[in-house]
Amino acid sequence: MTTPRRKACVECRQQKIRCDVEQHKVPHDPCGRCKKMGLECRILPTSTRNLRQTKAEMRRELEELRWNMRHNQAPGSVTDSNYPHSTASPNVDMGNMSPRDHSGTYSDPSGRTDGSHSVSPGFESRPPTRNGSGSNGTIPRMLEGYILDPKRIDDCFMLFFTQYHPLFPILDASLGPNDYYDLSPFLFWTIIVIGSRRYADDLNVLDKSSQLITPLAFSSMALRSSQMPVIQGLLLLCTWRLPTNSMYKDMTHLMCGSAVHLATQIGLHISGVGQDFARMPVKKDQEQKVLRARLWLCCVIVSIRTSCAEGIPPLAESFFDCDERDREDMIPYLPADLQFLHKVYIILLRAIVAMGKTNLQSIKCDVRVLRSLISIFDSQLLSLAPSAPSDLDTLQLNCARIHVMAFHFFAHPMNPDADGLSRFYSLCVSTINTATTMAQTVHFASVSQSFVDRTICLAGFSILRLVRSPLAQHLDLASGEQAFFQAVQFLKNVSLQPGDIGMRTALIMHDLWNSSKVFRRKDGRIESLGLRLRTRLSMSVSYDMFWYWREEFGNMQNPYNGDEAINASNEATQPSTPPYIRSQDQKIPVSNTTATIPTTQQPLTKFDPSLINPQLQVDPSAGMSFDTWDGSDYNVPPMLDQFPDYDWAAGFEFSNSDVLNAPLGPTGGPMMPQNVGNIGYTFG
């Protein structure tokens, strides 16, 4: 027979001293300390209340008080009965906000809200239950005065977990909206923002929530509590960027860096349960070790993708690409697609770091070293293709290859690698075709990740450069033109709002394809293989093209024209220059005809090969110079501010006929990665 646990009186418990009260007597005698000091000796009954439920009740009470303050009502008023499960509610019509068991609710019958279960083991998308969150229906939520009713909450959660979650399964699909709100309000609203991207029933949900989620993200980071849900929310916002009309306003790179730093602060980059980064003893739980290893791999993948898409080298490559043989025991617990993507992006990281050390800022960089690195890393990526678990993983592999092979443009334009650029051209065409096919079959463009969007744009610009180069005679121009306009349409389908980055990119690509002035130098030569902007890694190709558009269609002075002229090299300095390249250095005859600028998209048969003809006749006085053209041909209003990065068209009015509405209908079924065997390797 075990001895019952002794209980201390209230006074001794407050002083945290030993109490000798005889609690089995009824009524009990005072303890020695209370008798000596003349205090009332009281024993409280054992508390069996659920502390987690108490926290949820306090949070709910706080929401009710805020609601009452907003509507100037007193708690417990007669009109409070409309608020679900509440004794304090505003006097508003809540007919659509009654507690119901919506069919789209994802919940766990156990009602668990522990942060350790926020990432399901093995990333399986388990079938959700239909019983609501716990025993109650979904509760309406409010963010900075914006109220979201239960139906819209459940609809957004359903869209997220059926369309977006399978592409990046970082959350637990068995938890419901109430559970995620109790876990982290920021993570809850992140799911709402992403799920509402294609929510056709109420477009206002995306507009309102996307404006409020960024301040909530930074305030959640400052709380220093529940860091793993905050990291998950930040990674999701980096995977599907918030809609914006300017990269200047985009906070994705800042959020990505914050997620990585939060992860390192709690020791996710170290194998184990993070005891060295905790103030209290941490239980050595295998499930927790797997969860931490999985979340860190997601941090690595998202960080490399985000930095590459921005044209910025990852700042923490020492954390990403390090020797972690002690995590090899985690391989059986990690999904094959996550292992595959981790290996792909580690190779991409090593390629970026290696080629960044070849003096890319100078046009006289060591071409032999650059091309050797491109060949090595492209071969490494290509060797992974047979082990790709799904078509989506293969697409991301090809996107990584595009970023590696785009470094061909950093070589001297008078000494191109014809074989390498031809293979790069074929890769761009095939990747765009694959993305277009996926968009037609499973509505991939509607849920495409931001890294894929930026890479499709890069592939389109690369095709444009190559078809206007002397190498065009060796390329399939028809397939290239078709792929280019497929990329334009893909970006239009990606667009979420009129005038956002996706739509502007598509219109810029369309304008540059129809332009006769793009790539043309003062002497009439067309030099499309040279880069003027050279510090944004593989994305320098895209950013350089944006400046071509700004100059011709935005009436802006190009700051790169006078920095470093790309002159034709002689045979002594470039002995390997092909004959058909050297022929471009010859004097080009001048004509008095003025080139016309098409204003509409031309059919595939309308492409003019004379754009890359060495004998093209041009009159410099006809306004073909980047330095002399003033934009009067197009009647375009001047642009007052030089906006950075993707802020291409601020103040520029596109015609309504050119702006197509992005489809907002259903996005089709989920793209679930196939289950394949493990890929064993050392994690970086």
Side-chain angles (χ1 to χ4, degrees):
M1 180 177 180
T2 59
T3 304
R5 182 179 179 183
R6 295 180 59 87
K7 295 175 56 178
C9 67
V10 175
E11 297 294 337
C12 294
R13 182 185 296 273
Q14 290 178 351
Q15 298 298 324
K16 296 183 179 180
I17 60 177
R18 185 178 181 84
C19 182
D20 59 357
V21 65
E22 297 182 4
Q23 57 188 13
H24 61 278
K25 291 185 178 181
V26 181
H28 67 274
D29 296 332
C31 67
R33 179 175 177 274
C34 291
K35 182 184 297 185
K36 180 179 180 180
M37 302 183 65
L39 302 174
E40 181 183 3
C41 187
R42 297 179 297 114
I43 300 179
L44 296 180
T46 302
S47 176
T48 59
R49 194 171 187 182
N50 188 332
L51 296 180
R52 187 175 299 278
Q53 183 65 25
T54 300
K55 181 179 179 180
E57 291 177 354
M58 293 175 62
R59 181 175 289 158
R60 177 173 179 78
E61 183 178 357
L62 180 61
E63 289 182 1
E64 296 170 5
L65 292 175
R66 288 176 177 173
W67 193 314
N68 293 329
M69 292 177 62
R70 178 176 177 82
H71 293 81
N72 297 323
Q73 293 188 13
S77 60
V78 177
T79 59
D80 295 343
S81 58
N82 289 328
Y83 194 89
H85 318 298
S86 173
T87 59
S89 176
N91 184 17
V92 293
D93 183 9
M94 300 285 289
N96 294 328
M97 304 174 75
S98 59
R100 294 173 294 182
D101 294 338
H102 299 288
S103 60
T105 302
Y106 287 78
S107 64
D108 185 354
S110 64
R112 66 188 183 191
T113 58
D114 189 355
S116 63
H117 298 287
S118 57
V119 180
S120 58
F123 276 147
E124 302 99 342
S125 295
R126 291 173 293 190
T129 60
R130 307 272 181 175
N131 299 324
S133 296
S135 58
N136 301 324
T138 303
I139 301 175
R141 303 294 179 181
M142 182 172 64
L143 178 62
E144 297 295 332
Y146 174 63
I147 303 173
L148 199 60
D149 62 83
K151 180 182 183 301
R152 287 173 172 80
I153 292 176
D154 290 338
D155 290 345
C156 291
F157 264 70
M158 175 67 75
L159 285 173
F160 174 83
F161 281 104
T162 55
Q163 304 299 332
Y164 299 90
H165 174 75
L167 305 182
F168 191 55
I170 195 175
L171 301 181
D172 187 351
S174 66
L175 299 182
N178 295 347
D179 300 322
Y180 273 111
Y181 193 90
D182 292 339
L183 182 64
S184 171
F186 166 64
L187 183 57
F188 168 86
W189 285 104
T190 297
I191 298 174
I192 294 295
V193 170
I194 298 176
S196 63
R197 289 166 64 91
R198 300 292 175 179
Y199 185 42
D201 292 350
D202 188 356
L203 302 179
N204 193 47
V205 176
L206 176 62
D207 295 337
K208 291 292 186 180
S209 58
S210 61
Q211 296 174 9
L212 301 173
I213 192 65
T214 300
L216 180 60
F218 289 109
S219 62
S220 301
M221 286 186 278
L223 291 177
R224 309 294 300 159
S225 61
S226 302
Q227 290 182 329
M228 294 185 70
V230 173
I231 294 172
Q232 293 167 346
L234 293 174
L235 295 180
L236 288 172
L237 290 179
C238 294
T239 303
W240 291 281
R241 297 173 183 248
L242 297 174
T244 179
N245 61 357
S246 168
M247 181 56 71
Y248 181 75
K249 306 173 185 177
D250 191 0
M251 307 296 290
T252 301
H253 193 261
L254 183 57
M255 290 183 181
C256 182
S258 301
V260 173
H261 287 295
L262 287 175
T264 55
Q265 280 194 334
I266 60 176
L268 291 186
H269 62 294
I270 302 298
S271 176
V273 295
Q275 180 61 70
D276 296 348
F277 298 83
R279 297 185 301 172
M280 303 292 291
V282 180
K283 183 180 179 182
K284 295 183 178 180
D285 184 16
Q286 179 70 11
E287 183 179 0
Q288 187 71 7
K289 289 179 61 178
V290 175
L291 180 143
R292 292 170 62 88
R294 189 185 306 119
L295 186 56
W296 174 246
L297 261 62
C298 292
C299 289
V300 172
I301 293 172
V302 173
S303 180
I304 297 175
R305 287 194 305 204
T306 303
S307 299
C308 185
E310 295 286 343
I312 301 174
L315 300 180
E317 63 265 17
S318 59
F319 286 116
F320 300 156
D321 191 9
C322 58
D323 189 8
E324 294 188 358
R325 285 189 292 267
D326 53 347
R327 278 190 173 177
E328 290 182 350
D329 59 332
M330 296 290 102
I331 292 178
Y333 302 96
L334 298 174
D337 58 340
L338 186 64
Q339 296 184 43
F340 176 82
L341 292 179
H342 177 261
K343 199 168 187 179
V344 167
Y345 289 110
I346 285 296
I347 295 177
L348 178 59
L349 170 66
R350 293 171 180 169
I352 292 175
V353 173
M355 284 184 279
K357 299 178 181 179
T358 59
N359 193 22
L360 295 176
Q361 298 185 24
S362 173
I363 196 174
K364 299 179 181 179
C365 62
D366 195 332
V367 176
R368 292 173 299 178
V369 174
L370 181 64
R371 291 172 180 168
S372 298
L373 292 174
I374 294 174
S375 177
I376 291 172
F377 289 111
D378 183 59
S379 299
Q380 292 180 7
L381 289 172
L382 194 59
S383 66
L384 298 178
S387 60
S390 67
D391 293 339
L392 178 61
D393 297 322
T394 302
L395 177 63
Q396 296 198 55
L397 171 66
N398 289 333
C399 289
R401 292 186 61 203
I402 287 177
H403 283 277
V404 171
M405 299 188 71
F407 282 92
H408 276 296
F409 289 113
F410 284 88
H412 198 286
M414 295 297 104
N415 184 24
D417 181 2
D419 181 65
L421 289 173
S422 298
R423 289 187 289 106
F424 181 40
Y425 181 85
S426 300
L427 174 63
C428 292
V429 171
S430 62
T431 301
I432 293 176
N433 290 337
T434 300
T436 302
T437 302
M438 295 175 66
Q440 294 172 351
T441 56
V442 293
H443 302 279
F444 175 68
S446 301
V447 295
S448 174
Q449 300 173 353
S450 300
F451 175 75
V452 177
D453 306 342
R454 298 289 176 87
T455 307
I456 294 297
C457 173
L458 172 61
F461 281 137
S462 299
I463 290 175
L464 175 58
R465 285 180 175 271
L466 291 172
V467 299
R468 301 293 175 89
S469 73
L471 299 176
Q473 55 186 315
H474 306 287
L475 305 176
D476 185 354
L477 299 182
S479 62
E481 186 174 5
Q482 182 179 12
F484 182 89
F485 285 106
Q486 285 177 346
V488 172
Q489 187 60 44
F490 184 88
L491 293 176
K492 288 182 179 180
N493 294 337
V494 166
S495 175
L496 296 173
Q497 298 172 343
D500 63 2
I501 288 179
M503 182 61 68
R504 288 186 174 185
T505 308
L507 295 176
I508 287 173
M509 294 176 66
H510 177 273
D511 289 341
L512 291 176
W513 181 272
N514 293 321
S515 170
S516 296
K517 298 181 179 180
V518 65
F519 307 128
R520 194 176 297 279
R521 304 306 183 201
K522 295 180 180 180
D523 58 1
R525 292 181 300 109
I526 293 181
E527 195 171 81
S528 61
L529 298 181
L531 288 178
R532 302 171 300 178
L533 190 153
R534 305 175 64 90
T535 61
R536 302 300 292 268
L537 303 175
S538 58
M539 291 301 293
S540 297
V541 178
S542 296
Y543 289 118
D544 196 31
M545 295 300 300
F546 299 149
W547 272 109
Y548 279 113
W549 184 90
R550 290 184 182 119
E551 184 177 31
E552 182 173 351
F553 297 94
N555 197 23
M556 294 179 63
Q557 181 180 2
N558 196 316
Y560 298 99
N561 277 341
D563 288 351
E564 182 179 353
I566 304 177
N567 299 320
S569 58
N570 55 41
E571 297 183 3
T573 57
Q574 298 291 344
S576 60
T577 303
Y580 61 87
I581 298 295
R582 290 196 296 268
S583 65
Q584 300 297 310
D585 301 337
Q586 301 175 0
K587 182 69 175 182
I588 300 177
V590 178
S591 172
N592 293 327
T593 58
T594 303
T596 58
I597 310 297
T599 57
T600 59
Q601 178 174 322
Q602 301 295 328
L604 298 180
T605 57
K606 296 293 185 179
F607 177 73
D608 186 6
S610 64
L611 291 176
I612 50 91
N613 193 325
Q615 303 301 324
L616 181 65
Q617 298 180 354
V618 181
D619 183 6
S621 63
M624 291 302 177
S625 171
F626 282 113
D627 294 332
T628 59
W629 184 76
D630 59 1
S632 59
D633 302 3
Y634 298 91
N635 193 25
V636 177
M639 306 190 66
L640 302 179
D641 298 323
Q642 291 192 7
F643 35 81
D645 295 347
Y646 271 61
D647 197 2
W648 317 300
F652 184 83
E653 296 294 336
F654 293 108
S655 63
N656 293 332
S657 60
D658 291 336
V659 180
L660 303 179
N661 294 327
L664 297 175
T667 56
M671 298 175 53
M672 297 297 296
Q674 303 174 0
N675 294 326
V676 298
N678 283 320
I679 307 175
Y681 60 92
T682 301
F683 293 101

